[in-house]
Amino acid sequence: MKKQKIVITGGPGAGKSSIIRQLEKHGHECLHEISRQVTLEAQKQGIAQLFLEKPVLFSEKLLEGRKNQHREADMIPTSTIFIDRGIPDVLAYMDYFKTEYSTYFTDACTEYAYDKIFFLPPWEEIYQSDNERYESFKEASLISKYLFETYKTYGYNPIEVPKTSIIERTQFILNQIE
């Protein structure tokens, strides 16, 4: 049985986590976004915004977490695993913020592959900022472009998910993998 690792990606506030929760609700195996966890751990150590204060360290922690998720997906005894963001997301954000990085990051994008990428485009009507999502909608839209282009750079053909209800978006994704 071939295992499929499927990434749900897109800019901040595009609905990724809502779709992941919907997939879980219907019994699908999902791995959640880890950037909030990395941010909260840094805040416990007195660093208010690790991503802004030490972007390379934040990205290293994020990359390690996403590599761990990729390996974790191999251990889950089901044929399809949905992952909220993938390894190329780390590079897209670093490119967006004009952060220099080593081949350590680019090598990970080729070493850890995914089977399908679903891309959620920016959607102003559902966008909300919060403690960890501080970007404006305009910034979120630009980040989306970086994400889409980064996945294409690494040989993926992201499938754009239409702007419909969570149930319809989830069904669209499921229909594409059957």
Side-chain angles (χ1 to χ4, degrees), residues 90-102:
V90 178
L91 279 75
Y93 271 84
M94 293 176 81
D95 288 342
Y96 170 76
F97 283 102
K98 311 280 188 268
T99 305
E100 290 186 28
Y101 49 87
S102 69

Side-chain angles (χ1 to χ4, degrees), residues 71-91:
R71 290 187 287 265
E72 181 183 346
D74 287 332
M75 307 312 273
I76 296 172
T78 186
S79 62
T80 304
I81 295 95
F82 295 93
I83 306 170
D84 190 342
R85 293 197 181 276
I87 290 170
D89 286 58
V90 178
L91 279 75

Side-chain angles (χ1 to χ4, degrees), residues 9-11 51 59 62 66 85-99 101 105-106 109 119 142-154:
T9 193
F51 183 74
S59 297
L62 207 51
R66 295 223 171 107
R85 293 197 181 276
I87 290 170
D89 286 58
V90 178
L91 279 75
Y93 271 84
M94 293 176 81
D95 288 342
Y96 170 76
F97 283 102
K98 311 280 188 268
T99 305
Y101 49 87
F105 290 93
T106 54
C109 288
F119 179 78
L142 188 53
I143 290 168
S144 290
K145 290 178 185 175
Y146 276 86
L147 288 161
F148 193 84
E149 290 305 316
T150 300
Y151 275 94
K152 289 194 70 76
T153 296
Y154 286 96

Side-chain angles (χ1 to χ4, degrees), residues 5 12 36 43 57 61-64 74 77 81-82 85 87-88 101-103 107 113 115 130 137 146 150 160 173 177:
K5 294 176 187 143
R36 288 177 185 256
Q43 287 173 345
L57 177 60
K61 289 180 176 291
L62 207 51
L63 180 60
E64 284 309 308
D74 287 332
I81 295 95
F82 295 93
R85 293 197 181 276
I87 290 170
Y101 49 87
S102 69
T103 57
D107 290 349
D115 298 288
D130 60 24
F137 179 73
Y146 276 86
T150 300
E160 189 166 318
I173 291 167
I177 63 168

